[in-house]
Amino acid sequence: MDERRRWSMDFRRAIAELLSARTGLPADTLEASVEVPPQFELGDYAFPCFPLAKTLRKAPPAIAAELASKLAEGAPFLDRVQAVGGYLNFFLDRGVFVGTVVADALAAGPRIGATEEGAGKTVIVEFSSPNIAKPFHIGHAFTTILGQSVAKLYTHLGYPVVRMNHLGDYGTQFGKLIVAYGRWGDEAALLEAPIRELLRIYVKFHDEAKADLALETEARARFLALEEGNAPEMALWKRFRDLSLLEFARVYDRMGIAFDNYNGESYYSDRIPAVVDLLRAKGLLEESEGAQVVKLDEEGLPPCIVLKSDGATIYASRDIASALYRKETYGFYKNIYVVGTPQALHFRQVFAVLKKAGFAWADDCVHVGFGLVKFADRKLSTRAGEVIFLDELLAESVAKTREIIDRNAELRGTDMSEEERAEVAEKVGIGAVQYMFLRNGRDRDIVFSWEEMLDFDGETGPYAMYTYARGRSVLRKGALEGASAADATPEDLARMGGDDEAAVARLLYGFGDAVHRAVEANEPFLLTRQVAGIARAFNKFYNNESILSAPDAGLRRARIALTEAVCTALKTGLDLLGIAAVERM
RNA sequence: GGGCUCAUAGCUCAGCGGAUAGAGCAACGGCCUUCUAAGCCGUGGGUCGGGGGUUCGAUUCCCUCUGGGCUCACCA
């Protein structure tokens, strides 16, 4: 617990220790029940006395009143303690609180909320994992954006992170592509737009195969040849793979994503015989309906197929092989799979097989699922052509952003160059999309609508980015007059006693906690909400109070420091979500 | 049928067993000669799906019912 807010003072702990000294109860238990009241008017922290009623044989309000009088002159960081009903409400000294938080936030800088608790504990995050030769559509956006944020969050807490892109680069589909390319492939088109061309011939293959059954047979033969390492098939497969990766790289670059490892399914295929031997040696493998399976009745799960009845491998066997590989290679502390919830059962089976095979670390494997991206009335369907490519979505978002930038530039008479406008539009447009995927709990389905996706009002990516840019603008102006956040003395900072300043400080203070909760639940949206809260509180403060024209020099220095702290928190928060911030917009 | 998951404002969603259930969008009404109006302020809007139970206290935990979604052997 001490680790949690190491970047700043732990007021909750301090209150728990105060209570502990007066009641004789252990501070740890008390700390767990110290809560934050629903309204600020009720105080910064509260301690419900109801649970004490039984042991003390007194009414909760009486206990609260008694404790309040005892704690009245407790500590310098407290302004007052009030009994309200059965609650004991603690009001922190505004000056001490705001001053401490701002000073600590400035000292932490980009490492606000960061710790080293993960040092030496390698975390693997598998995410994105698109299929080679298939378009990168918005369904892949979810795992890509979510996974990136999860990886960054762990990194912030000191965990060494390995980002793995488990490419879908294996299977009979490649036999089909090889056949199709031989018959209808267009070299020039392939170079021009690889995935479009590969998709075209893939669709063509399926059309033709309806009339010509020999095509399927040939495809299987070609895939077999590929598996056996036949040179022509291998060369073609590698080419398709390389070209696809090149195209994916464009999207990854735009979103600032890089992987440590692109080992796809194909990489693990030759490790499967060893897996089969292992499972057989442990007596787990049995034949069922011609296939080799591991029964999981005791676990309450359906059997896991390891080898198909024709002896071929299947995704479960490849995932088992890859898990073993990861443990051997990285000795992971945690192995995270950012894959859609429809595959929840599959992962439960894979983990159960590993556990059954005697690998205790199976418990360190986690499936981080997420909902479907769909239209209001129907599912996304590649076959029906009812998909939205991520490229297309990003382009729309960037274009809309550019319009707003141009309009504002004219309105405000700013001097943004063509180059800067393009760069800002790119970052804001992409950030808007990324934010949409990290706004709510990941289990929820996302109903796609252009209208909502391109709405930049209210709690959105652009809102957070705008707030940052606004703060930076103030700081730039201050700097021109020679002012900087470092000028503020502790006495200056302690003078920020206003409601709006305190509200901002409270949200800043919760930053580290939000990062922790996000990591514990593998839920970046918990940080998204904190970032949004900080932005909202700062905008309110910004509208109500003047920063550069504060009533006096000391308060001005303090407010500049507060603004700097907010900017740092916003930039760091956005970065942990995988979103870039801009200095102007 | 089994498993998992969800049901909260017109819409999209938050709500760690606790105080008067909150945001954003949409609607309506205000605020730019002053630090970026992608902003701020205000108003209206709720049987927290239904019914039981546990508890001093349940939107939150348990059971049950209803209604969605996903999934249940050789695709991934």
Side-chain angles (χ1 to χ4, degrees):
Chain A
M1 205 61 176
D2 298 329
E3 293 286 306
R4 297 185 68 126
R5 291 188 206 88
R6 204 163 53 185
W7 68 278
S8 187
M9 178 177 171
D10 194 340
F11 291 102
R12 185 193 299 263
R13 182 73 198 179
I15 286 170
E17 276 164 8
L18 212 58
L19 281 167
S20 174
R22 296 297 191 280
T23 61
L25 295 166
D28 288 343
T29 18
L30 292 169
E31 184 176 354
S33 23
V34 172
E35 54 189 57
V36 176
Q39 278 98 32
F40 296 143
E41 302 82 62
L42 292 167
D44 297 288
Y45 291 97
F47 178 72
C49 299
F50 308 98
L52 298 182
K54 244 179 203 158
T55 50
L56 297 180
R57 311 198 53 167
K58 268 184 221 166
I63 299 170
E66 195 177 322
L67 282 172
S69 67
K70 282 190 191 169
L71 289 166
E73 61 259 11
F77 65 88
L78 282 179
D79 177 44
R80 61 185 197 281
V81 183
Q82 233 171 40
V84 178
Y87 286 90
L88 195 53
N89 293 338
F90 295 83
F91 293 79
L92 296 178
D93 181 276
R94 277 279 173 87
V96 172
F97 177 69
V98 179
T100 304
V101 171
V102 173
D104 289 349
L106 289 176
R111 288 192 48 77
I112 182 170
T115 68
E116 289 300 330
E117 65 200 71
K121 300 175 183 169
T122 300
V123 171
I124 290 175
V125 183
E126 172 191 311
F127 67 106
S128 201
S129 310
N131 289 323
I132 296 300
K134 294 245 182 85
F136 202 100
H137 59 77
I138 55 171
H140 299 114
F142 212 154
T143 162
T144 305
I145 292 163
L146 182 64
Q148 165 77 340
S149 181
V150 167
K152 288 204 167 203
L153 283 163
Y154 276 95
T155 304
H156 205 57
L157 295 187
Y159 295 90
V161 171
V162 180
R163 293 153 207 248
M164 299 194 85
N165 198 334
H166 193 78
L167 296 171
D169 61 358
Y170 197 79
T172 45
Q173 51 175 331
F174 289 97
K176 293 177 185 174
L177 277 172
I178 291 167
V179 171
Y181 191 72
R183 301 207 175 195
W184 313 293
D186 178 336
E187 180 66 21
L190 185 68
L191 289 174
E192 172 81 21
I195 291 179
R196 192 195 304 164
E197 173 63 4
L198 291 173
L199 186 63
R200 183 187 69 84
I201 61 174
Y202 188 70
V203 170
K204 173 104 174 152
F205 178 93
H206 281 283
D207 285 347
E208 299 284 334
K210 282 178 205 152
D212 185 354
L213 295 174
L215 281 174
E216 295 275 3
T217 314
E218 195 188 340
R220 271 195 295 276
R222 291 302 195 99
F223 177 62
L224 200 63
L226 176 64
E227 265 201 298
E228 285 165 355
N230 257 31
E233 283 79 7
M234 284 288 282
L236 216 45
W237 170 82
K238 190 170 183 318
R239 188 143 182 254
F240 294 158
R241 188 179 189 274
D242 289 347
L243 285 169
S244 298
L245 271 176
L246 223 54
E247 214 166 305
F248 296 150
R250 279 216 311 276
V251 181
Y252 293 143
D253 285 347
R254 287 183 89 179
M255 296 199 293
I257 298 173
F259 293 90
D260 300 297
N261 187 310
Y262 286 88
N263 291 348
E265 294 163 35
S266 63
Y267 183 86
Y268 303 100
S269 64
D270 58 0
R271 303 177 68 94
I272 289 180
V275 171
V276 172
D277 291 346
L278 177 85
L279 295 176
R280 187 165 286 137
K282 304 230 178 195
L284 298 177
L285 220 52
E286 48 190 289
E287 197 190 304
S288 171
E289 297 174 34
Q292 295 295 315
V293 309
V294 175
K295 290 251 173 85
L296 298 168
D297 296 342
E298 298 150 33
E299 288 77 9
L301 296 169
C304 179
I305 297 180
V306 177
L307 287 179
K308 301 197 276 185
S309 47
D310 64 359
T313 65
I314 189 168
Y315 55 98
S317 38
R318 291 194 280 275
D319 270 330
I320 293 167
S322 97
L324 289 164
Y325 169 83
R326 290 173 195 191
K327 190 62 190 181
E328 281 164 29
T329 311
Y330 302 103
F332 60 73
Y333 165 77
K334 239 188 219 184
N335 177 27
I336 295 172
Y337 297 84
V338 183
V339 180
T341 47
Q343 292 192 50
L345 179 59
H346 160 68
F347 283 109
R348 285 177 66 196
Q349 289 176 298
V350 168
F351 301 160
V353 169
L354 289 169
K355 192 70 183 284
K356 213 160 183 173
F359 301 111
W361 51 261
D363 292 334
D364 303 327
C365 297
V366 224
H367 173 219
V368 172
F370 55 86
L372 256 48
V373 181
K374 58 187 184 188
F375 291 107
D377 51 340
R378 63 193 189 281
K379 272 195 191 180
L380 252 55
S381 158
T382 315
R383 278 180 310 231
E386 288 173 334
V387 276
I388 292 165
F389 300 148
L390 185 54
D391 261 347
E392 182 190 351
L393 173 58
L394 295 181
E396 287 289 335
S397 187
V398 170
K400 163 139 193 214
T401 304
R402 179 58 194 262
E403 280 173 32
I404 297 173
I405 290 171
D406 288 341
R407 199 194 322 134
N408 284 342
E410 196 164 332
L411 232 57
R412 298 170 191 159
T414 50
D415 59 333
M416 279 175 107
S417 67
E418 166 62 31
E419 200 185 354
E420 188 181 0
R421 288 182 196 202
E423 194 189 321
V424 170
E426 170 81 5
K427 286 186 177 164
V428 175
I430 289 172
V433 172
Q434 292 173 307
Y435 194 98
M436 285 302 298
F437 284 94
L438 300 174
R439 191 182 185 175
N440 299 131
R442 56 180 160 79
D443 279 327
R444 222 168 249 283
D445 290 346
I446 289 181
V447 177
F448 183 87
S449 97
W450 283 106
E451 197 188 348
E452 205 181 328
M453 200 58 85
L454 300 181
D455 183 359
F456 300 160
D457 293 332
E459 197 188 302
T460 62
Y463 175 82
M465 298 168 90
Y466 175 76
T467 311
Y468 172 78
R470 223 180 189 188
R472 291 294 300 159
S473 174
V474 172
L475 294 173
R476 276 195 304 274
K477 256 181 199 171
L480 285 179
E481 298 160 18
S484 95
D487 301 338
T489 65
E491 292 73 34
D492 292 335
L493 296 180
R495 290 191 49 216
M496 289 190 285
D499 286 351
D500 293 337
E501 290 152 336
V504 171
R506 268 189 281 266
L507 271 314
L508 285 177
Y509 184 66
F511 191 94
D513 211 29
V515 171
H516 272 92
R517 285 184 292 119
V519 165
E520 274 156 24
N522 295 304
E523 273 285 24
F525 98 101
L526 293 170
L527 179 62
T528 308
R529 295 187 82 80
Q530 192 73 20
V531 167
I534 291 170
R536 203 180 312 126
F538 180 76
N539 276 320
K540 183 169 180 165
F541 162 71
Y542 178 97
N543 270 275
N544 292 343
E545 311 290 347
S546 191
I547 299 164
L548 295 176
S549 306
D552 64 77
L555 207 49
R556 178 180 134 117
R557 288 193 294 272
R559 286 178 176 171
I560 287 173
L562 179 68
T563 303
E564 172 86 32
V566 165
C567 283
T568 307
L570 289 177
K571 184 165 187 167
T572 303
L574 285 169
D575 178 64
L576 291 174
L577 299 175
I579 301 172
V582 294
E583 296 301 307
R584 296 209 292 174
M585 63 187 272

